[in-house]
């Protein structure tokens, strides 16, 4: 029985394989800028990257795999996690970085493209779910640190705080298509903090 292939973006190869990966990522981004999601294809990306179509198909399987790889690269570079010593500033910076990411032409288009793809592509939907679960868990480290410092109640659900920060931004991006800026992001962070401090984001109690 063959081993299950890892999800795109979860491995970091070296040498020539890494150079090919970087070339394909750059080509995917370039194609998105030039022709948008509608014009994205394995053939076009392979041609721009200077690699064989079979190489791209073998590693990424389809355009959803390419988009997930690019999303991982984008988020790692554009949304680092701050550690300023205070939860107010750490979460404010996180919210502002998320806002900047979503309002970036390429990054915003990338997220929208993946969501559109996930509607009819089950692997894309699963990959997107795993991505956000992983990213929310990573960002929740900010809240864990705050709890350890006594800035937030011990019962606070760290992941729920992160979800609450992102929710108003996702709503504007995906549902109402209203513009948003750093002020909206900062307000989202402040609201999440207020809810956490009031105990509204506590983890569900577990009864025996």
């Amino acid at each position: 029985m063959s081993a299950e292939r890892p999800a795109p973006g979860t491995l970091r190869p070296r040498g020539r394989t890494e150079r090919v990966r970087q070339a394909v990522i750059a080509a995917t981004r370039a194609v998105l800028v030039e022709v948008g999601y509608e014009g994205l294809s394995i053939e076009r990306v392979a041609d721009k990257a200077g690699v064989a179509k079979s190489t791209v198909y073998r590693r990424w399987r389809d355009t959803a795999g390419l988009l997930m790889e690019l999303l991982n690269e984008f988020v790692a570079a554009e949304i680092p996690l701050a550690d300023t010593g205070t939860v107010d500033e750490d979460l404010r910076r996180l919210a502002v970085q998320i806002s900047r990411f979503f309002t970036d032409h390429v990054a915003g288009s990338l997220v929208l493209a993946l969501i559109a793809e996930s509607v009819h592509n089950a692997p894309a939907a699963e990959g997107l779910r795993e991505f956000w679960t992983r990213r929310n868990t990573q960002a929740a480290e900010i809240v864990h640190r705050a709890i350890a410092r006594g800035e937030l109640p011990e019962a606070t659900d760290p992941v729920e705080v992160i979800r609450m920060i992102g929710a108003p931004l996702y709503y504007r991006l995906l549902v109402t298509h209203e513009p948003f800026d750093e002020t909206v992001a900062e307000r989202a962070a402040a609201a999440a903090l207020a809810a956490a401090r009031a105990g509204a984001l506590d983890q569900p109690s577990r009864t025996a």
Side-chain angles (χ1 to χ4, degrees), residues 50-177:
V51 302
K53 288 187 298 183
S54 58
T55 298
V56 181
Y57 277 114
R58 185 168 57 251
R59 178 170 174 82
W60 289 279
R61 300 191 288 274
D62 55 21
T63 54
L66 291 172
L67 291 171
M68 282 304 307
E69 185 89 40
L70 183 57
L71 180 61
N72 276 286
E73 290 289 312
F74 256 124
V75 170
E78 303 296 332
I79 314 182
L81 301 180
D83 186 3
T84 66
T86 169
V87 68
D88 297 72
E89 182 62 14
D90 286 352
L91 291 182
R92 186 195 71 80
R93 291 190 184 188
L94 175 65
V96 167
Q97 288 162 348
I98 293 172
S99 174
R100 290 174 180 171
F101 180 78
F102 282 157
T103 53
D104 177 86
H105 172 67
V106 177
S109 298
L110 171 61
V111 173
L112 292 173
L114 268 168
I115 291 172
E117 184 73 17
S118 69
V119 172
H120 56 81
N121 184 327
E126 180 64 14
L128 201 55
R129 185 193 68 79
E130 291 177 357
F131 169 82
W132 288 121
T133 298
R134 183 171 66 252
R135 182 59 189 178
N136 286 342
T137 300
Q138 291 169 345
E141 181 58 29
I142 291 174
V143 183
H144 283 292
R145 292 196 302 255
I147 294 171
R149 291 194 298 260
E151 294 180 286
L152 292 175
E154 289 186 8
T156 301
D157 186 332
V159 171
E160 198 60 29
V161 174
I162 302 304
R163 290 194 186 109
M164 187 170 177
I165 291 173
L169 307 182
Y170 302 145
Y171 183 78
R172 288 174 181 246
L173 178 73
L174 302 173
V175 179
T176 66
H177 302 288

